[in-house]
Amino acid sequence: VIMYLRFGQVVGQAGILQALLIVILAKTITTLTALSLSAIATNTRVKGGGAYFLISRSLGVEYGGAIGVVFYLAQAVSVAMYVIGFSEALVAVLPTLGLSVREASTLVNVGVFVRVFIGAGWAIRVQYLIMGLLAASLFSFFFGAFGSFDLGLFKENLGPGYLGDREGFFIAFALFFPAATGIMAGANLSGDLKDPGTAIPRGTLSAIFVTGFIYLALALVLGGVATRDVLRTNPLVMEDVALSSTLITAGIFAATLSSAIGSMLGAPRILQALGKDNVFPRLAFFGQGSGKQGEPRRAVVLSFVIAQACILLGDLDTIAPVITMFF
């Protein structure tokens, strides 16, 4: 959602060089996290609860409980960010629907909730289709940009162009950083993985490498295909440059919906693990699973309520920095 709808804004404000630095800084943070995650995952029998489980078993229940609550809230609020991103694109592409972003977000949030409430199995299979759409949309953008690249624009956009007190390096960093936090998606599903000790390190580190390469390439290319004003003000700048705007739209829908589902799957499993460990007695209610697979349906309902509250109270530019603070 940040890559498609806000990365142009980051490049427009920070300039190409500082945008590259923002990506490198974010990836350095997540790489250090992933190395710690990998070290613990390969030396501990991993169960459900993802990062919370690993932290509580290595640093103790006190640290695990404190961090687990914050991490759960980060994931629950992330659902709202992805749903709003999806709805922004939906309203822009289909204005004939006559819906506001908030109204569309509410409908999408209900849809994501219902699907996840049913169970995790189908949602994980859908991710393969979404992955294909993402790859197609990125190829469409890079091939389209090949014919539009202007070296003069590239040189103009090298330096920063911050305006006023509401812009700056760390504000741009706060807006971008949620783009790097998806690396926790695999660890959050630790209880559903056949071999978490192998899958978590391999999947997380390769995710950092692949997305880091894509973000760095995008920063360089965006700086050479659009003026600073266009980058700052047009959230759909990638659509204007791509060979097929339809593929970019499909990519936006796929990325945002995929991430919303991923967070709605991950957040309840963190809360369920907290409840099972009885760290906070009041959360024990959410430790109960439903059905043969022990689906955390009680926690799914609470995650839906938190996401909906954020949808009603905020927008994408407000929620992204809040998520950065949580992470």
Side-chain angles (χ1 to χ4, degrees):
V1 62
I2 298 298
M3 180 183 78
Y4 282 110
L5 298 177
R6 290 297 183 271
F7 197 36
Q9 182 180 328
V10 171
V11 175
Q13 290 181 11
I16 296 168
L17 295 178
Q18 286 196 14
L20 294 174
L21 181 59
I22 285 170
V23 174
I24 292 168
L25 181 58
K27 289 298 174 183
T28 300
I29 292 168
T30 54
T31 299
L32 292 172
T33 303
L35 291 174
S36 297
L37 180 70
S38 301
I40 301 168
T42 52
N43 286 282
T44 304
R45 186 165 175 261
V46 183
K47 297 181 181 179
Y52 157 72
F53 177 86
L54 296 172
I55 291 167
S56 65
R57 297 311 186 269
S58 58
L59 297 180
V61 173
E62 294 86 354
Y63 282 101
I67 294 171
V69 170
V70 176
F71 188 45
Y72 165 71
L73 289 172
Q75 292 288 351
V77 175
S78 292
V79 175
M81 181 183 73
Y82 299 129
V83 166
I84 291 172
F86 179 93
S87 303
E88 266 194 22
L90 182 67
V91 170
V93 172
L94 297 173
T96 52
L97 290 174
L99 295 172
S100 67
V101 171
R102 191 164 291 172
E103 290 168 342
S105 297
T106 298
L107 292 173
V108 173
N109 193 35
V110 170
V112 169
F113 162 70
V114 170
R115 293 296 185 182
V116 171
F117 191 82
I118 294 169
W122 77 271
I124 293 168
R125 288 192 291 271
V126 167
Q127 303 287 56
Y128 290 107
L129 171 63
I130 289 170
M131 184 79 167
L133 285 172
L134 289 175
S137 70
L138 286 170
F139 277 117
S140 175
F141 170 74
F142 282 116
F143 279 114
F146 183 76
S148 307
F149 195 85
D150 185 325
L151 193 58
L153 271 178
F154 183 84
K155 291 177 179 177
E156 287 178 19
N157 291 331
L158 278 174
Y162 300 116
L163 299 175
D165 295 334
R166 292 182 62 83
E167 295 182 8
F169 178 82
F170 284 106
I171 294 173
F173 175 82
L175 182 60
F176 172 78
F177 189 71
T181 60
I183 61 140
M184 301 306 295
N188 289 343
L189 293 172
S190 57
D192 299 275
L193 299 172
K194 290 180 181 177
D195 183 8
T198 301
I200 289 174
R202 185 180 294 171
T204 306
L205 290 168
S206 59
I208 291 172
F209 175 79
V210 172
T211 54
F213 176 79
I214 291 170
Y215 293 152
L216 291 171
L218 276 173
L220 293 169
V221 173
L222 282 168
V225 296
T227 65
R228 192 179 295 274
D229 286 341
V230 169
L231 290 171
R232 295 168 65 95
T233 59
N234 182 8
L236 296 175
V237 63
M238 288 179 67
E239 192 173 271
D240 296 339
V241 174
L243 283 177
S244 169
S245 60
T246 303
L247 278 176
I248 297 296
T249 303
I252 294 171
F253 287 158
T256 51
L257 197 58
S258 160
S259 299
I261 291 169
S263 291
M264 188 65 94
L265 284 170
R269 282 160 171 75
I270 299 166
L271 186 59
Q272 183 183 41
L274 271 165
K276 282 182 176 179
D277 283 350
N278 203 28
V279 181
F280 305 105
R282 291 182 182 181
L283 296 181
F285 173 79
F286 298 102
Q288 295 295 321
S290 303
K292 293 180 180 179
Q293 302 299 321
E295 294 286 345
R297 286 179 178 153
R298 295 178 181 182
V300 170
V301 173
L302 180 62
S303 303
F304 164 76
V305 171
I306 292 172
Q308 185 59 34
C310 293
I311 287 167
L312 295 176
L313 294 173
D315 58 25
L316 201 60
D317 293 332
T318 305
I319 291 173
V322 170
I323 292 169
T324 296
M325 288 189 284
F326 275 132
F327 273 104

